[in-house]
Amino acid sequence: MPMLEVRDLTVRYGALEAIRNVGFSVDAGEIVALIGSNGAGKSTTLRAVMGLVPAATGSISLDGKDITTLNSAVRVRGGIALSPEGRRLFGRMTVLDNLLTGAYAVSSRTVRQQTLEEIYDLFPRVRERRRQLAGSLSGGEQQMVAIGRALMANPRLLMLDEPSLGIAPKVVGEIAHAIERINQEKRMSIILVEQNARLALRLSHNAYALEHGEVVRSGRGDELLADPFVQKAYLGI
Ligand code: ATP
């Protein structure tokens, strides 16, 4: 049984159908990439899995249990966390306080402290800057904090929305390495939404391409990297 199973999911914003009959699954310990151009529906898919927008049709299940109508707080306790597009940090709060906002559902102080240490180990620069205001950090550092904040919820399924967006190439490499470590060392499942399709396909085990709200291709990351349609549409080959 997959950890997450999304079936025939449709989400509407008023009259606009943002995604239509989207289906995909994520196994335990797997990295799944969602690629596609601007407005293809990638963020909407993550928001629906998190319970931030309602499903008009279809179903979402976690460990075989239907969570389609549960609110997002319950889904966080069930093990899902989202690092949203644009990072959405509290700029006038310290880095540490931003991280702690992610841990509201974790009651054990010991677990919180341990997770914090793991995040600092993953991103030493976040440790160095923990007392600084989040708004004073570079884009790349803010992205590290945003990922850290999602990790503070101790999820089993981590969803990352555009972690490479607007970030210097050298820092993109650091973040990619951290994503691999999170997956390998913590056996955490990850859904990676990226416009940088090459990066996402390299990191992922399985991937889905979305166009105009629908899944148009799916397969192993390395298969899609070699797929002429994907190369032409998303890799500029
Ligand atoms: P991007 O990377 O640009 O965010 P995306 O693939 O994540 O692209 P979505 O953000 O999911 O795409 O958007 C899918 C469609 O839904 C787009 O047409 C977008 O304009 C529309 N949309 C997204 N959010 C809203 C909203 N809150 N209200 C109305 N329409 C929305």
Side-chain angles (χ1 to χ4, degrees):
M1 182 209 307
M3 173 183 267
L4 182 82
E5 174 122 57
V6 172
R7 284 209 193 98
D8 295 325
L9 183 66
T10 299
V11 173
R12 300 194 182 102
Y13 299 110
L16 179 93
E17 216 159 56
I19 57 171
R20 186 175 322 107
N21 299 331
V22 164
F24 66 97
S25 64
V26 183
D27 285 333
E30 188 184 30
I31 302 182
V32 167
L34 303 181
I35 62 169
S37 48
N38 258 320
K42 306 180 298 296
S43 301
T44 298
T45 303
L46 295 191
R47 292 172 59 77
V49 171
M50 194 70 258
L52 300 171
V53 289
T57 70
S59 69
I60 303 166
S61 47
L62 184 67
D63 307 319
K65 282 188 229 115
D66 192 313
I67 62 165
T68 315
T69 60
L70 299 182
N71 70 40
S72 55
V74 176
R75 296 189 202 196
V76 170
R77 283 194 287 275
I80 306 179
L82 169 66
S83 174
E85 184 173 8
R87 309 185 284 265
R88 306 288 180 90
L89 298 179
F90 300 101
R92 303 185 61 160
M93 277 167 51
T94 65
V95 165
L96 177 59
D97 284 342
N98 270 278
L99 290 173
L100 291 175
T101 62
Y104 68 91
V106 179
S107 52
S108 158
R109 198 163 173 274
T110 317
V111 171
R112 281 206 301 266
Q113 198 53 44
Q114 191 185 324
T115 311
L116 206 49
E117 286 303 323
E118 287 171 7
I119 292 161
Y120 291 156
D121 178 55
L122 209 52
F123 301 117
R125 268 193 286 167
V126 172
R127 182 201 299 273
E128 285 165 25
R129 297 180 190 279
R130 66 190 182 280
R131 306 278 170 215
Q132 248 174 265
L133 295 185
S136 70
L137 267 50
S138 74
E141 289 162 352
Q142 290 191 22
Q143 185 59 60
M144 294 172 191
V145 177
I147 295 171
R149 179 178 55 186
L151 287 173
M152 283 302 289
N154 245 317
R156 294 176 299 131
L157 173 63
L158 175 68
M159 302 194 292
L160 303 174
D161 198 346
E162 303 271 11
S164 81
L165 192 68
I167 288 172
K170 182 177 167 292
V171 184
V172 170
E174 283 177 43
I175 288 173
H177 182 59
I179 292 169
E180 285 184 312
R181 279 188 61 195
I182 294 163
N183 172 249
Q184 286 166 13
E185 293 171 17
K186 305 200 76 176
R187 301 307 305 155
M188 202 180 282
S189 304
I190 296 174
I191 304 179
L192 178 59
V193 157
E194 266 297 336
Q195 274 189 57
N196 183 340
R198 184 169 281 105
L199 175 76
L201 294 177
R202 276 191 190 142
L203 288 175
S204 65
H205 302 109
N206 283 298
Y208 297 79
L210 289 176
E211 258 179 36
H212 305 296
E214 290 183 288
V215 175
V216 292
R217 271 289 194 285
S218 65
R220 288 209 324 263
D222 56 357
E223 284 170 357
L224 292 197
L225 274 173
D227 179 330
F229 168 83
V230 172
Q231 291 184 341
K232 187 161 184 290
Y234 307 110
L235 302 174
I237 297 174

